[in-house]
Amino acid sequence: MASAGKSYCISFQNIQAALSTVRPFVKKTPVMTCSHLNRLANRNLFFKCENLQKTGSFKFRGACNAVSKVVASNQDGPDRELSVVTHSSGNHAQAVSLAAQVQGVTAHIVMPSNSPAVKKEAVRSYGGLIVECEPTEQSRVDTADQVAEKTGATMVHPNQSPEVMAGQGTMVFEILEQVERVDAIVVPVGGGGMLSGISVAAKELCPHAKIYAAEPKNADDCAVSMARGERTPLPAPPVTMCDALKTSIGPRTWPIIRDHVDDVITVTEEEIKAAMRLVWERMKLVIEPSSAVGVAAVMTDKFQKLPANAHQNVVVILCGGNVDLEHLPWMSQN
């Protein structure tokens, strides 16, 4: 758990500042409940609907904070066109594109060639300039570096940028206004930017609340890292329907996760698919597989065995709702 005197790349004060920065741009997303899911989980579940955020995911929070920082840092500089660059499989790409568009900044978006067509179309609709790369982490990084060198654009990393991490943490302020008492927060994890921001904010604002990471078993580097006590990136690109969770936790997010997160719950592809369909059918909410990971986690035997009195009110982050309607998980088996 968090220890006094430890220093991380973001602080609670950074998240407070980010809240003021992003407030004019982001939606205050609703928290929704479902009595049927409460019965299944034997808990009071509160779903933070970041799938209803602008661009369809929580990523817009961090993108707005990061782009605003670029604009602010150049206010007294030479009069030139400002630009940012990032690499993303889709949700962060859309978020940076819109965040840049509304602030008059050019966005260069490096996307894997196999990114879902619906996400590429959305990036273009928000004004992002797409540069395709091979579907590997190294290709993403190398291509983004090349674009930055060629254009002078400022890098906005999807999960290792402190400004992005602080922006994601702003949702905790909203959650605590919307839920009377929070005993636990379940957060999907890929690169760890959202998990880190939420963890730092929550441990300051509601220190009694437990923080659980939810992760696909097929992309379980966070669980492995926590078990070993050292960051252990995935050895190869994982095979999972969760596009947004294929990235390993990074060097900046790892120390925060290591010291703030209480446990990691992994779920199978079948559990993810079932949870996604459950939310679509019973809550009438469009969520993507990465969102369903948190829902699946609270349905597992591992979570059910946690002390009920200390885990009565559980917040589950529905992190995104960008899906390709032509390729839904339950359609692919037909």
Side-chain angles (χ1 to χ4, degrees):
M1 297 305 97
S3 301
K6 286 196 175 182
S7 178
Y8 307 104
C9 68
I10 60 167
S11 66
F12 176 67
Q13 289 70 31
N14 296 142
I15 300 172
Q16 283 181 306
L19 181 65
S20 298
T21 298
V22 306
R23 188 173 273 149
F25 303 107
V26 304
K27 289 181 181 178
K28 181 178 180 180
T29 54
V31 167
M32 300 183 73
T33 60
C34 177
S35 58
H36 180 68
L37 269 68
N38 285 352
R39 287 192 293 271
L40 292 177
N42 197 30
R43 302 283 193 277
N44 298 320
L45 301 178
F46 298 87
F47 297 94
K48 180 60 171 169
C49 296
E50 286 293 292
N51 58 311
L52 301 179
Q53 185 56 261
K54 292 178 182 178
T55 72
S57 85
F58 75 96
K59 292 282 192 177
F60 190 61
R61 295 176 182 272
C64 281
N65 193 45
V67 173
S68 294
K69 182 74 176 290
V70 172
V71 173
S73 65
N74 284 275
Q75 281 183 338
D76 299 325
D79 186 16
R80 62 184 179 88
E81 180 180 326
L82 298 180
S83 61
V84 293
V85 60
T86 193
H87 52 81
S88 167
S89 62
N91 284 349
H92 181 69
Q94 294 177 54
V96 171
S97 295
L98 182 59
Q101 184 183 69
V102 299
Q103 297 185 67
V105 175
T106 300
H108 302 278
I109 311 296
V110 175
M111 298 185 74
S113 55
N114 62 350
S115 296
V118 66
K119 294 188 176 183
K120 290 182 181 179
E121 292 165 10
V123 166
R124 293 190 182 99
S125 74
Y126 295 132
L129 306 177
I130 295 176
V131 180
E132 292 195 354
C133 68
E134 293 300 313
T136 67
E137 187 65 21
Q138 194 58 51
S139 179
R140 289 188 188 199
V141 172
D142 292 345
T143 306
D145 287 345
Q146 292 165 13
V147 172
E149 185 176 352
K150 180 179 178 181
T151 66
T154 300
M155 179 65 191
V156 179
H157 195 281
N159 49 68
Q160 299 303 299
S161 161
E163 291 76 25
V164 167
M165 295 159 65
Q168 320 303 25
T170 60
M171 74 177 79
V172 177
F173 290 90
E174 295 177 13
I175 289 169
L176 296 179
E177 292 175 357
Q178 296 166 312
V179 181
E180 187 172 344
R181 177 183 170 84
V182 175
D183 295 321
I185 306 177
V186 179
V187 188
V189 61
M194 174 172 60
L195 179 59
S196 296
I198 286 177
S199 296
V200 171
K203 291 301 182 183
E204 180 73 26
L205 294 169
C206 49
H208 65 278
K210 302 291 187 182
I211 307 296
Y212 294 96
E215 187 175 47
K217 272 187 177 165
N218 287 2
D220 65 347
D221 66 290
C222 185
V224 172
S225 297
M226 291 288 278
R228 293 182 177 177
E230 62 181 6
R231 187 170 73 92
T232 309
L234 294 165
V239 179
T240 174
M241 68 182 76
C242 301
D243 290 329
L245 305 182
K246 290 182 176 181
T247 305
S248 298
I249 53 176
R252 286 179 168 172
T253 51
W254 163 240
I256 298 173
I257 293 169
R258 177 194 63 206
D259 296 341
H260 292 72
V261 173
D262 292 273
D263 204 352
V264 184
I265 300 171
T266 60
V267 290
T268 66
E269 297 296 293
E270 285 302 313
E271 288 171 326
I272 295 166
K273 184 193 301 184
M276 180 177 171
R277 185 163 187 165
L278 181 66
V279 171
W280 277 54
E281 291 180 343
R282 300 309 294 249
M283 296 188 72
K284 318 306 179 189
L285 288 173
V286 174
I287 64 168
E288 61 189 78
S290 299
S291 283
V293 170
V295 183
V298 299
M299 302 295 173
T300 60
D301 288 341
K302 180 175 181 176
F303 195 85
Q304 300 271 341
K305 290 176 182 176
L306 294 171
N309 61 339
H311 297 81
Q312 199 56 43
N313 290 352
V314 179
V315 174
V316 180
I317 308 299
L318 299 182
C319 56
N322 292 315
V323 294
D324 185 344
L325 295 176
E326 301 298 326
H327 299 90
L328 295 174
W330 48 85
M331 292 170 61
S332 62
Q333 68 184 116
N334 294 329

